[in-house]
Amino acid sequence: MSLRIFVVFLFSFIYLTSFLIIDLISIMITRRNFLKASGLSLGAITLAGKETVFAVNKSTFIQAGYISQRPDLSKRNFTSKAVEETIEQVKKQLKDPKLAWMFENCFPNTLDTTVHFRMKDNRPDTFVYTGDIHAMWLRDSAAQVWPYLSLMKKDESLRMLIAGVVNRQTQCVLIDPYANAFNDGTTGSEWETDITDMKPELHERKWEIDSLCYTVRLAYHYWKITGDASVFSSDWEKAAGLILKIFKEQQRKENAGSYKFQRMTERQLDTLSNNGWGAPVKPTGLIVSSFRPSDDATSYGFLIPSNLFAVVSLKQLAEISNQVTKNKAFAGQCAALASEVETAITQYAVADHLSYGNIYAFEVDGFGNRLFMDDSNVPSLLALPYLGCVNDSDAIYLNTRAFVWSADNPYFFRGKAAEGIGGPHIGYDMIWPMSLIMKAMTSNDDFEIKDCIRTLRDTEGGKGFIHESFHKDDPEKFTRSWFAWANTLFGELILKIINDGKVSILNSL
């Protein structure tokens, strides 16, 4: 009898234990899926430089699937009713929960975490961090608020915020039209020992054509959308005059100009050769850009995407001068320079490539040397239609587009996780999501757009945000967890697709 009881007990124990093991496995799997879906690690995430702990129960996870990575409402830098309404409207249209989650995280990221609004001398003033670097790049700040322009008429506070960015950028240009990044006050920076004309208001002083172009672009479109010309103050007119002056000076027709730059660094492209003047150029009518939008030094001084952008900006300056500030002479100078640069681009920047026919070179020097590549940062060759520089059906652009998205572009990478364009700023095998966004922005092919969106969705590294770059084989290896420009640009792309009547693309990934 004792043996029989023991056997019955043993089988009962094994039977009950098996259910316990199954439950434990189920709990482990559920927790693993929860962590993956919510983007949390060890109960916490890093957001906007601060660690925020989220307590989420099982029922909340089941209902929500993906947990918002936005700061608490009380910790957001700025809240726009129009932006919040747009987020809710978009989420209702998206069937893909991860895509909806990413849009909710990314689209308001600039407002949530980077803008600092105040009134100064009875005028709006807005300082904009680039993200994890607490400085204001002219390029980044203009691009960060760009996707909100269409919502200004629905939200007066948002309009004032963006007017504040225009006003702040005007003051930045007056401080130093050659600088790319500025401090919020006279705080100095880690680059204050650079061998150039540094000032305590400057974070960095790299001469990049596109910095001034983005400043014009934001002011011009703010005015066109709102009809508000108050941003075109006497200070704006002075800043516009400096923009034209610097563009002309950097044509280097008579000499190398006043700008030079050197830095003690192990990074080759963080400084300029020839005692800070950069590589030689032969005057052609083009404008020298010492650095690229990536903040890397140019190999040949005439950076073609930025020169094409300058043509657009000069025409916008001419229109503002004709219609608002009523300075016909200045408008004529801007229009004349735009025509000169445009002619020089046709003459010096278009070349017959061995495999692609006539394409735009990335950089030229006027001596006949050309660099064939593309970088992911905007302006890029890929992004030219996005900035209004060329038509997306232009034959030379289409040839160029085929080249830059191919193995013939030295900074095009293809791996297990994705393919896309990077650049020397981060280096080999690192794809910038910005290139995928620009490919989709400038495409008329629904399958191509869908592929870009799918790749962006699947390479966010489990964080719910768009990063600066990620490894072609491993998206969890990425740079910059807080890069507001890329986040907001992703939101802009989603909105564009919906506004184009193509939400079906987003719902069929």
Side-chain angles (χ1 to χ4, degrees):
M1 289 292 294
S2 60
L3 179 60
R4 183 179 301 172
I5 293 172
F6 174 78
V7 171
V8 171
F9 174 80
L10 179 62
F11 275 98
S12 299
F13 175 80
I14 293 171
Y15 180 78
L16 292 172
T17 302
S18 67
F19 278 99
L20 178 61
I21 292 171
I22 290 171
D23 285 342
L24 287 172
I25 292 172
S26 176
I27 290 170
M28 290 172 67
I29 292 173
T30 300
R31 175 170 172 76
R32 187 181 299 115
N33 289 341
F34 164 71
L35 291 172
K36 181 178 180 181
S38 63
L40 303 182
S41 177
L42 300 178
I45 66 164
T46 299
L47 182 64
K50 298 180 181 179
E51 189 177 79
T52 306
V53 178
F54 292 87
V56 185
N57 60 39
K58 185 176 181 180
S59 62
T60 301
F61 167 67
I62 291 173
Q63 292 172 8
Y66 293 95
I67 311 304
S68 173
Q69 305 295 282
R70 298 179 68 185
D72 291 338
L73 184 60
S74 62
K75 296 181 179 179
R76 295 174 191 171
N77 288 16
F78 187 90
T79 301
S80 162
K81 180 181 178 182
V83 170
E84 297 302 322
E85 289 176 349
T86 299
I87 292 170
E88 291 307 311
Q89 291 167 4
V90 169
K91 286 171 62 181
K92 289 177 182 178
Q93 296 182 67
L94 297 179
K95 296 179 181 179
D96 187 320
K98 185 175 182 181
L99 200 61
W101 174 59
M102 290 178 65
F103 180 81
E104 180 182 12
N105 295 334
C106 293
F107 184 59
N109 188 242
T110 288
L111 300 182
D112 284 352
T113 65
T114 70
V115 297
H116 302 268
F117 176 79
R118 73 274 279 188
M119 296 297 292
K120 186 176 181 180
D121 299 328
N122 294 318
R123 292 173 64 81
D125 177 68
T126 310
F127 191 87
V128 186
Y129 291 168
T130 186
D132 50 10
I133 305 172
H134 292 180
M136 180 169 168
W137 267 253
L138 292 178
R139 169 184 55 256
D140 291 43
S141 58
Q144 284 168 244
V145 299
W146 175 264
Y148 308 131
L149 263 64
S150 63
L151 301 175
M152 290 187 296
K153 289 186 176 180
K154 299 179 180 179
D155 190 335
E156 176 63 12
S157 64
L158 182 63
R159 183 199 65 76
M160 288 188 67
L161 177 94
I162 295 173
V165 179
V166 175
N167 292 335
R168 170 62 72 138
Q169 291 191 341
T170 297
Q171 296 306 313
C172 288
V173 173
L174 292 177
I175 291 169
D176 190 341
Y178 275 118
N180 59 324
F182 295 79
N183 300 319
D184 193 3
T186 55
T187 61
S189 83
E190 60 185 306
W191 306 121
E192 59 191 19
T193 59
D194 287 347
I195 306 171
T196 188
D197 187 16
M198 284 295 287
K199 301 178 178 70
E201 297 93 342
L202 305 184
H203 176 77
E204 192 172 52
R205 191 174 187 262
K206 289 181 174 179
W207 162 234
E208 301 163 5
I209 291 175
D210 69 282
S211 294
L212 299 182
C213 294
Y214 271 106
T215 298
V216 175
R217 179 184 189 235
L218 181 65
Y220 174 83
H221 286 279
Y222 168 85
W223 164 57
K224 297 297 283 187
I225 292 171
T226 65
D228 176 24
S230 66
V231 294
F232 300 130
S233 62
S234 59
D235 278 352
W236 160 265
E237 291 190 73
K238 293 175 186 175
L242 284 174
I243 291 171
L244 181 64
K245 176 179 180 291
I246 297 304
F247 281 175
K248 287 185 173 181
E249 182 175 298
Q250 286 304 314
Q251 286 182 296
R252 300 195 179 184
K253 291 182 176 179
E254 298 177 2
N255 53 55
S258 62
Y259 177 81
K260 60 186 299 188
F261 180 97
Q262 289 176 288
R263 173 177 293 173
M264 298 296 292
T265 177
E266 73 282 359
R267 297 188 72 249
Q268 180 187 7
L269 297 184
D270 241 0
T271 189
L272 296 179
S273 61
N274 294 311
N275 298 313
W277 301 110
V281 295
K282 182 179 180 180
T284 60
L286 295 168
I287 304 167
V288 166
S289 188
S290 299
F291 291 87
R292 301 167 180 165
S294 61
D295 298 332
D296 295 323
T298 50
S299 297
Y300 300 134
F302 298 132
L303 179 60
I304 299 309
S306 291
N307 271 265
L308 282 159
F309 197 7
V311 171
V312 174
S313 299
L314 286 163
K315 291 177 179 179
Q316 291 171 346
L317 278 176
E319 185 177 342
I320 293 167
S321 299
N322 274 320
Q323 297 189 23
V324 180
T325 60
K326 306 299 182 181
N327 189 335
K328 303 296 183 181
F330 182 75
Q333 292 179 58
C334 291
L337 182 56
S339 178
E340 181 183 2
V341 174
E342 198 165 27
T343 299
I345 288 170
T346 301
Q347 185 174 352
Y348 294 96
V350 178
D352 187 8
H353 191 279
L354 289 173
S355 303
Y356 298 91
N358 282 339
I359 68 171
Y360 289 112
F362 187 65
E363 293 170 2
V364 302
D365 64 0
F367 292 105
N369 297 304
R370 299 181 178 93
L371 177 60
F372 292 106
M373 60 164 279
D374 200 17
D375 192 286
S376 52
N377 282 264
V378 180
S380 61
L381 293 174
L382 179 63
L384 291 177
Y386 170 76
L387 295 171
C389 300
V390 300
N391 190 290
D392 61 10
S393 62
D394 178 81
I396 296 173
Y397 170 73
L398 291 176
N399 290 345
T400 306
R401 180 186 179 87
F403 159 71
V404 302
W405 206 269
S406 78
D408 292 316
N409 173 7
Y411 289 99
F412 176 82
F413 306 118
R414 179 180 286 118
K416 297 176 183 177
E419 64 178 35
I421 300 170
H425 192 71
I426 301 298
Y428 292 161
D429 300 331
M430 299 298 286
I431 295 169
W432 287 54
M434 195 174 292
S435 71
L436 290 156
I437 295 173
M438 280 301 115
K439 185 183 182 185
M441 282 280 198
T442 57
S443 177
N444 294 311
D445 185 328
D446 289 357
F447 291 101
E448 191 171 74
I449 296 170
K450 181 187 294 188
D451 184 63
C452 291
I453 296 294
R454 185 188 299 113
T455 301
L456 289 163
R457 181 198 63 183
D458 295 345
T459 56
E460 44 72 57
K463 304 298 182 182
F465 290 101
I466 303 297
H467 303 120
E468 178 186 54
S469 69
F470 64 88
H471 194 274
K472 66 178 186 178
D473 296 323
D474 182 7
E476 294 190 5
K477 179 183 177 183
F478 59 80
T479 59
R480 298 190 69 181
S481 59
W482 181 21
F483 185 30
W485 178 13
N487 287 326
T488 315
L489 190 63
F490 172 77
E492 180 185 351
L493 172 60
I494 299 299
L495 274 180
K496 178 183 185 299
I497 294 170
I498 291 175
N499 291 335
D500 287 347
K502 296 184 176 183
V503 70
S504 59
I505 292 176
L506 304 175
N507 290 330
S508 60
L509 300 180

